[in-house]
């Protein structure tokens, strides 16, 4: 793939992102501060100048919101469609931004044709070929990958429970080690991340999800599988109580395994907050402040990315609409690209822009 823009400046951005990701820092060393980034949409970067300018001026890293998922990349077994991912990579290169990859294995965006995959050997071949093809294409451009996303069921029945989908049905836990090993072989310099949600709050379900994820991580690390960090998606629910002990114990265990911590999809689901904008924005900011403080006390995140940058484009209303019909306000910029209190909170935890 020949990227049009100045690849040198982009490579600098990508490597600086890799450095920030802890590539050059032993586990346990406190990260000076995180690099801020956000998930982006290829079509809107091309069509919406204000949005593109906000991303370019405020972010050090971008990650395709959907363009690197199986559903977007693999319309059929014999085809790859890189058009949108290449557009985002070109945007990052043009603006000297680092680039993240999301995601090489996720139950949530699988093309229908993969449902027919049941045999072990076929699953191994398809998953390995996919990862080799996609990761090599962006070798040296993508500084870190969410290799596997959301491997733990929403409500795990035990710590061995894995989310059922094509790869886990055919390969069990082996799909995770296969994915990480294939990604490391395709780009030895990329930082490899296991990404998960709903790890932050008090309650049996959250505790079970933390236990399940730790169990997977221990088996990967004990098996010598190349993995570098855990991604906390951090889709925060401000009306739920944070589990300080549960979350910090989890993070200490992650650090003890020599893994870094990233915040990968931060937004604050404001569906149950007051309608008043000033009150709601303040609660959103306070929710992020409380969460990021708990994380940073144990493991300062190497990166903090929000899942979008502006309320103009957010996934939140897909699942969490407000009963009063008001638009959600989950992100650091409002729909007019003006910074909200949440932006100030993020700036407290992230390095000033270069
Ligand atoms: C979401 C996107 O934001 C939506 O546009 C898409 O329709 C579905 O996926 N956790 C993840 C992300 O890891 O990949 C999801 O992204 C949001 C939840």
């Amino acid at each position: 793939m020949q990227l049009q823009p100045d690849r040198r400046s982009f490579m600098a951005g990508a490597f600086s992102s890799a450095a920030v990701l802890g590539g050059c820092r032993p586990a346990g060393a406190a990260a000076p501060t995180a690099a801020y980034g956000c998930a982006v949409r290829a079509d809107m970067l091309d069509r919406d100048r204000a949005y593109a300018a906000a991303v370019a001026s405020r972010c050090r890293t971008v990650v395709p919101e959907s363009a690197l998922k199986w559903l977007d990349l693999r319309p059929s077994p014999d085809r790859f469609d890189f058009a949108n991912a290449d557009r985002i990579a070109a945007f990052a290169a043009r603006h000297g931004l680092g680039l993240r990859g999301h995601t090489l294995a996720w139950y949530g965006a699988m093309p229908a044709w993969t449902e027919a995959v049941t045999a072990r050997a076929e699953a191994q071949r398809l998953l390995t070929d996919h990862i080799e093809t996609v990761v090599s294409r962006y070798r040296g451009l993508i500084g870190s990958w969410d290799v596997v996303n959301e491997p733990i069921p929403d409500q795990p029945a035990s710590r061995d429970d894995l989310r059922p989908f094509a790869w886990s049905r055919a390969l069990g836990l082996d799909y995770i080690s296969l994915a990480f090993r294939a990604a490391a072989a395709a780009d030895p310099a990329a930082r490899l991340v296991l990404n998960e949600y709903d790890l932050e709050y008090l309650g049996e379900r959250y505790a079970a999800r933390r236990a399940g994820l730790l169990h997977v991580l221990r088996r990967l690390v004990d098996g010598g599988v190349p993995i570098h960090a855990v991604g906390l998606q951090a889709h925060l629910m401000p009306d739920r109580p944070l589990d300080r002990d549960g979350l910090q114990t989890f993070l200490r265990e992650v650090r003890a395994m020599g893994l870094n911590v990233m915040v990968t999809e931060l937004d604050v689901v404001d569906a149950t907050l007051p309608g008043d904008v000033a009150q709601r924005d303040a609660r959103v900011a306070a929710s992020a402040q409380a969460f990021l403080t708990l994380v940073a006390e144990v493991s300062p995140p190497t990166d903090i990315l929000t899942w979008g940058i502006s309320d103009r484009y957010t996934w939140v209303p897909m699942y969490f609409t407000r009963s009063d019909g008001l638009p959600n306000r989950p992100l650091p910029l409002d729909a007019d690209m003006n910074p909200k209190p949440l932006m100030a909170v993020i700036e407290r935890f992230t390095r000033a822009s270069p």
Side-chain angles (χ1 to χ4, degrees):
M1 168 192 63
Q2 287 307 316
L3 280 178
Q4 296 315 318
D6 168 5
R7 191 177 167 87
R8 279 187 306 283
S9 62
F10 177 75
M11 294 291 277
F15 288 128
S16 69
S17 171
V20 164
L21 280 170
C24 310
R25 201 175 34 250
T33 55
Y36 173 61
C38 75
V40 291
R41 299 179 179 180
D43 51 348
M44 296 309 169
L45 287 178
D46 290 346
R47 295 208 311 249
D48 186 334
R49 292 167 59 87
Y51 166 69
V55 172
S57 61
R58 293 182 177 276
C59 293
R60 288 175 59 78
T61 308
V62 290
V63 58
E65 187 169 347
S66 294
L68 282 171
K69 295 173 180 173
W70 275 72
L71 199 56
D72 286 54
L73 283 181
R74 305 298 302 274
S76 61
D78 55 353
R79 264 194 66 213
F80 287 81
D81 180 356
F82 289 109
N84 284 333
D86 288 355
R87 285 159 69 191
I88 292 170
F91 176 88
R94 254 193 321 279
H95 298 283
L97 304 180
L99 189 60
R100 293 209 69 230
H102 175 86
T103 172
L104 298 169
W106 182 43
Y107 82 93
M110 294 295 280
W113 62 266
T114 59
E115 283 159 23
V117 177
T118 53
R120 185 177 177 83
E122 186 189 15
Q124 278 175 326
R125 179 184 59 77
L126 276 169
L127 185 54
T128 303
D129 290 353
H130 177 86
I131 293 172
E132 283 174 353
T133 305
V134 177
V135 176
S136 337
R137 183 182 183 87
Y138 299 102
R139 183 171 39 240
L141 297 176
I142 288 184
S144 76
W145 276 98
D146 289 337
V147 175
V148 171
N149 191 38
E150 304 183 359
I152 307 300
D154 197 58
Q155 309 220 20
S158 76
R159 67 176 194 169
D160 294 300
D161 215 356
L162 287 178
R163 176 90 66 162
F165 73 125
W167 313 135
S168 56
R169 272 197 303 268
L171 301 169
L173 181 73
D174 289 350
Y175 92 90
I176 301 180
S177 41
L178 178 155
F180 275 88
R181 291 187 195 282
D187 186 351
R191 313 309 291 161
L192 305 180
V193 184
L194 186 57
N195 199 45
E196 194 51 272
Y197 72 97
D198 276 5
L199 302 166
E200 309 85 357
Y201 294 111
L202 272 178
E204 274 182 33
R205 184 174 77 85
Y206 293 95
R209 293 179 55 71
R210 291 191 291 264
L213 186 57
L214 280 177
H215 191 50
V216 168
L217 290 167
R218 280 201 195 90
R219 285 186 286 179
L220 296 176
V221 170
D222 290 351
V225 173
I227 176 171
H228 306 105
V230 169
L232 310 176
Q233 289 186 12
H235 296 295
L236 301 181
M237 303 287 177
D239 54 357
R240 294 179 193 169
L242 283 167
D243 186 343
R244 164 189 281 274
D245 292 344
L247 176 60
Q248 293 194 331
T249 300
F250 169 83
L251 293 171
R252 276 191 287 274
E253 302 256 5
V254 167
R255 296 296 285 157
M257 286 187 248
L259 303 175
N260 281 323
V261 171
M262 300 174 66
V263 175
T264 52
E265 305 183 14
L266 177 64
D267 52 23
V268 182
V269 179
D270 65 333
T272 59
L273 296 184
D276 175 79
V277 164
Q279 283 182 45
R280 189 152 32 121
D281 287 356
R283 287 282 305 278
V284 162
S287 173
Q289 172 74 31
F291 168 75
L292 291 172
T293 300
L294 289 190
V295 173
E297 280 174 359
V298 173
S299 179
T302 57
D303 282 62
I304 296 173
L305 294 100
T306 50
W307 204 244
I309 193 169
S310 160
D311 298 337
R312 188 180 293 180
Y313 309 118
T314 169
W315 78 295
V316 167
M318 284 178 70
Y319 295 92
F320 307 100
T321 50
R322 292 180 54 87
S323 55
D324 58 12
L326 291 174
N328 295 90
R329 297 175 63 88
L331 288 167
L333 305 182
D334 68 16
D336 297 322
M337 304 301 154
N338 301 311
K340 295 151 61 186
L342 174 56
M343 192 80 245
V345 168
I346 288 169
E347 284 164 354
R348 270 180 233 135
F349 289 86
T350 51
R351 174 183 309 136
S353 52

